[in-house]
Amino acid sequence: MATLRLESVSFKAGGARLLAETNLLFRSGQLTGILGPSGSGKSTLLKCLTTIHKPTAGRVTLDGEDVWAIRRRFRLSLGYVPQDDVIHPQLTVEQAFLFSSRLRLDTAMAPEAVAKRVDAVAALLGLAEARKRRIFRLSGGQRKRVNIGIELLADPEVLVLDEPASGLDPGTEEDLVKLLGALAGAGRTVVMTTHSMEYLSSLHRIVVLAAGNVLFWGGYQDLLAHFQVPHAADVFKAIRGKGVDSWAALYRSSQLARKAEGP
């Protein structure tokens, strides 16, 4: 079980503020989607969350401990899936998993135990029948599952994904969101960035960012009520209409912002 918090996190680079006074809560058992236009701060937030960047101000904590201070240990409990594939296309699925297991798992683990772990991950991700196929022959959705599987081999408490649905057709995207929800339901803390507005109702929590500011944190129905729109596709139109600063101020004064800070 893992609870991640951003506590008054800001980040600046080259004099530009990329993330401003951000307070967010990510709980185990929940799938959280982070939305926002290009340049909104999504990638910066993920880099602070995964200790690629050290916050300029504030801190990120895991169960109350500053992750920067414990970053070596934290990274052992972290799975990170970038937007682009990190798998060799000429390998089979099984070869990719076995090669990654040598990098991610304890070298003292018996080969039988490693094979059992690979079998379990392949079955969990629906890749059992594809494990002898070369990765370049897989569909986009299957390749994404292989990327996720490489991280799941180490059984991380926290799984962070950057635009995992990018380039996928709507049906495959829906399947992926369901899979990530199931991974969260097994007790992991799962956080992803997304541009898609199609399956937000399947997420446990949604974060909306714009110009480095949090404009919303909460569930799907809260999202519609907060922005006073009938459909999630209208959220960014509402943001453009009132302006980022107005929405940021409205959010900071809301009950949602206090819930996002946690107890």
Side-chain angles (χ1 to χ4, degrees):
M1 306 292 283
T3 299
L4 276 171
R5 296 177 191 268
L6 276 74
E7 301 176 359
S8 300
V9 168
S10 297
F11 186 81
K12 293 182 179 180
R17 187 189 68 177
L18 304 181
L19 204 60
E21 289 289 324
T22 302
N23 294 285
L24 289 172
L25 176 67
F26 304 100
R27 291 189 184 279
S28 59
Q30 294 182 347
L31 168 60
T32 299
I34 302 172
L35 292 95
S38 297
S40 62
K42 299 191 302 296
S43 294
T44 300
L45 192 155
L46 287 195
K47 288 176 180 178
C48 290
L49 197 63
T50 56
T51 67
I52 296 173
H53 286 340
K54 182 180 181 181
T56 306
R59 65 177 191 158
V60 180
T61 65
L62 174 69
D63 297 331
E65 291 188 270
D66 188 327
V67 297
W68 190 261
I70 61 165
R71 56 190 179 278
R72 289 188 178 181
R73 173 158 53 92
F74 171 64
R75 288 169 182 172
L76 293 176
S77 69
L78 173 69
Y80 176 66
V81 181
Q83 184 172 348
D84 297 325
D85 289 347
V86 292
I87 44 180
H88 197 294
Q90 295 296 331
L91 296 179
T92 66
V93 172
E94 184 173 74
Q95 287 171 336
F97 281 176
L98 289 172
F99 178 74
S100 297
S101 70
R102 295 176 184 175
L103 300 175
R104 300 298 303 271
L105 300 180
D106 189 336
T107 55
M109 183 177 287
E112 296 80 8
V114 173
K116 187 175 180 180
R117 179 74 62 85
V118 169
D119 289 344
V121 170
L124 175 66
L125 299 178
L127 292 169
E129 294 183 1
R131 58 190 296 164
K132 298 297 184 181
R133 295 176 63 188
R134 295 190 187 277
I135 288 167
F136 76 88
R137 296 187 181 277
L138 301 178
S139 68
Q142 287 174 318
R143 287 197 305 274
K144 186 58 66 177
R145 286 170 182 256
V146 174
N147 279 277
I148 294 171
I150 285 172
E151 299 304 315
L152 290 182
L153 287 170
D155 195 21
E157 290 183 291
V158 179
L159 183 63
V160 178
L161 308 98
D162 190 4
E163 299 285 351
S166 178
L168 300 182
D169 64 81
T172 305
E173 179 186 349
E174 182 179 17
D175 290 342
L176 179 63
V177 171
K178 289 180 179 178
L179 170 64
L180 296 176
L183 293 176
R188 296 180 181 88
T189 303
V190 183
V191 181
M192 70 174 189
T193 59
T194 180
H195 277 102
S196 176
M197 310 295 282
E198 288 297 318
Y199 302 106
L200 296 185
S201 60
S202 298
L203 306 180
H204 299 106
R205 293 291 182 269
I206 300 163
V207 175
V208 178
L209 286 178
N213 294 276
V214 177
L215 308 188
F216 174 81
W217 174 95
Y220 181 71
Q221 293 302 323
D222 293 328
L223 177 79
L224 301 183
H226 183 74
F227 288 102
Q228 299 179 344
V229 293
H231 191 274
D234 299 315
V235 165
F236 292 116
K237 186 185 298 183
I239 293 172
R240 289 193 299 271
K242 186 179 290 189
V244 170
D245 290 344
S246 294
W247 284 112
L250 179 64
Y251 170 73
R252 285 194 297 268
S253 65
S254 70
Q255 289 289 337
L256 292 170
R258 286 182 276 281
K259 289 181 180 180
E261 296 177 10

